[in-house]
Amino acid sequence: MTDYDIIIIGAGPAGLTAGIYGGRQGSRVLMLDKGPAGGLGLEVPMMENYPGFEMIAGMSLVTKMKKQATKVAELREMEEVKEIEKDDVFTVRTSRDTYTASALIFATGSKHRQLGVPGENDLLGRGVCYCATCDGPLYKGRKVLMVGGGNSAAQEAVFLKNIGCDVSIIHRRDELRADRYLQEKLKEMDIPVIWNSVVTEIRGDDRVEEVMIHNRVTGEDEALKVDGIFISIGEEPLNQLAVELGVEVDDGGYIITDKRQRTNIPLVYAAGDITGGLNQWVTACAEGAIAATYAYSEIQRL
């Protein structure tokens, strides 16, 4: 007898949905997260494409999902998984305790990708930010730069503008990757974009004072005075635990799964941003549901 039927590592949108589906099927489910439930989903300032809600903040949706999941599954936040062993069952050692389970679901998500330029780490938390929802209010009425060209960068730029920041976007290409409706919103709100340019250095003594910008077309370099820089250039998969267990990953480090979210190791599944592909809330939830459903079926079969 194991402590749990299914242990879910990570309690973001994928992990919480897996908890809901696993628990409702009668499985003994434990969700573990090294931080607060929600992961990067907590940082989404506003969504307009999640079914059932014309507009909802990530934190609000996480609160609803967490409430629903904890009715049928156990959630332990701020408890980091340190080691996993596989024998007849899976043994999961955390920062607080040790648990056993028949099946695992990796929903570990991803972390913010860094620019990798001088000054980025030195001025982290002193003008260098990765979450507009978290840090944006500190820059109301001040000049900030948003780095990136995808949906997240556009959404966060709109959020910063709405709360009173003087925000500009810098993008390395001549067009954004963000959805068309977000691009239209940037134009409506008169948020300027610095095209074909990259940040090469972040400068300041105690806080960010300026950034160095390189134009990839003209070759020109210039200094731009800013009070803060928000970086939204994608994520990197949090795959260390999975790799250590022997789970196969692709060239980008994302866990490889089949249509049932199964990995190369029996009774080990993966869901959400850790699997790559379309990193959207709705797809993470779908994968979490699939993983928990087939984990339950396989445990019953065995």
Side-chain angles (χ1 to χ4, degrees), residues 37-53:
L40 293 183
L42 293 169
E43 300 178 8
V44 178
M46 200 61 63
M47 285 185 290
E48 298 180 60
N49 59 358
Y50 190 83
F53 297 94

Side-chain angles (χ1 to χ4, degrees), residues 157-286:
V158 168
F159 172 79
L160 290 170
K161 182 75 171 184
N162 278 332
I163 64 173
C165 297
D166 179 7
V167 59
S168 300
I169 295 177
I170 182 171
H171 185 48
R172 64 194 308 269
R173 298 185 176 89
D174 59 0
E175 61 180 356
L176 300 177
R177 292 179 288 105
D179 291 342
R180 181 60 55 187
Y181 82 95
L182 286 170
Q183 296 191 43
E184 291 299 322
K185 185 162 291 189
L186 293 175
K187 293 178 181 178
E188 291 172 9
M189 301 182 72
D190 198 26
I191 297 175
V193 181
I194 304 170
W195 301 106
N196 299 306
S197 299
V198 295
V199 173
T200 56
E201 185 179 358
I202 303 171
R203 295 176 174 177
D205 292 328
D206 296 324
R207 295 193 59 81
V208 170
E209 298 172 5
E210 66 178 17
V211 295
M212 292 301 300
I213 294 175
H214 175 74
N215 188 296
R216 301 172 71 234
V217 175
T218 66
E220 296 179 353
D221 297 294
E222 66 171 312
L224 179 66
K225 296 290 183 182
V226 294
D227 298 300
I229 176 171
F230 288 80
I231 301 166
S232 183
I233 55 172
E235 291 82 35
E236 296 175 353
L238 293 169
N239 63 13
Q240 182 177 348
L241 288 168
V243 170
E244 290 175 352
L245 188 63
V247 174
E248 291 182 354
V249 298
D250 62 19
D251 292 339
Y254 294 96
I255 294 177
I256 299 171
T257 66
D258 64 10
K259 291 184 178 180
R260 296 185 177 184
Q261 303 306 131
R262 296 179 297 191
T263 70
N264 60 299
I265 299 178
L267 292 170
V268 177
Y269 305 78
D273 288 359
I274 189 62
T275 65
L278 183 64
N279 288 355
Q280 291 289 302
W281 200 302
V282 69
T283 53
C285 292

